[in-house]
Amino acid sequence: VTQCFKTIPHKCRAVILTGNGKSFSAGADITWMKKMANYTHEENVTDASKLFDMFYQIKSTPVPVIARVNGAAIGGGSGLVAACDMAFSANTSTFGFTEVKLGLVPAVISAFVLPKIGSTNSSRYFLTGERFDAAEAYRIGLINGIYNDISTLDSTINNI
């Protein structure tokens, strides 16, 4: 993903980031996260830096990046939504910063989430790990619009 966003041609009008299947992004691979528990401090820093670079490349892309949220956006998936310039969602999508339920802090994505939803909402969702629906994601500013069906969602994005 990082390399793709580093090489987006300037003639491109926009980038649409979406999931393939029922989820937008369910976040990090749990097996990978368990392996990280055995990483050295230096390995963890390197890994976190690579992850931050991916989010940073999305945020700093010279063309608009639009999240098309077609399902669950959990953990880093909600971080991806926050890194985008705009986000539009199916009304059935769910969101959450659930890292705390794994004993982790959503530190890497916080740089992108805090400016998007503010410190009050970040504190609540980072500390509780509770999941929330598209209406709440809209209310707190994580997404810009909610659509009852995928065809209307796609039509809206295509008209931007």
Side-chain angles (χ1 to χ4, degrees), residues 9-29:
H10 290 283
K11 66 181 179 180
C12 184
R13 284 189 34 218
V15 173
I16 299 171
L17 185 63
T18 192
N20 184 16
K22 294 191 294 185
S23 293
F24 174 78
S25 173
D29 177 353

Side-chain angles (χ1 to χ4, degrees), residues 65-139:
V65 179
I66 303 168
R68 176 191 175 271
V69 186
N70 57 313
I74 306 300
S78 285
L80 288 171
V81 174
C84 293
D85 297 301
M86 293 172 259
F88 301 94
S89 175
N91 67 339
T92 55
S93 297
T94 57
F95 302 82
F97 303 100
T98 57
E99 293 87 343
V100 71
K101 294 185 182 231
L102 300 171
L104 302 170
V105 175
V108 171
I109 64 172
S110 66
F112 306 95
V113 175
L114 281 162
K116 187 72 81 161
I117 69 170
S119 61
T120 300
N121 292 313
S122 294
S123 292
R124 173 183 175 177
Y125 291 112
F126 285 3
L127 294 173
T128 66
E130 66 187 290
R131 293 183 185 206
F132 49 96
D133 62 14
E136 178 67 358
Y138 179 77
R139 187 192 72 75

Side-chain angles (χ1 to χ4, degrees), residues 11-60:
K11 66 181 179 180
C12 184
R13 284 189 34 218
V15 173
I16 299 171
L17 185 63
T18 192
N20 184 16
K22 294 191 294 185
S23 293
F24 174 78
S25 173
D29 177 353
I30 299 298
T31 304
W32 165 75
M33 292 178 83
K34 287 179 182 176
K35 283 190 343 189
M36 285 185 59
N38 296 320
Y39 279 17
T40 65
H41 174 75
E42 292 77 21
E43 289 171 324
N44 270 299
V45 168
T46 299
D47 192 68
S49 294
K50 287 179 183 176
L51 186 59
F52 180 86
D53 189 40
M54 180 189 72
F55 286 100
Y56 179 78
Q57 290 305 320
I58 293 168
K59 186 67 181 167
S60 63

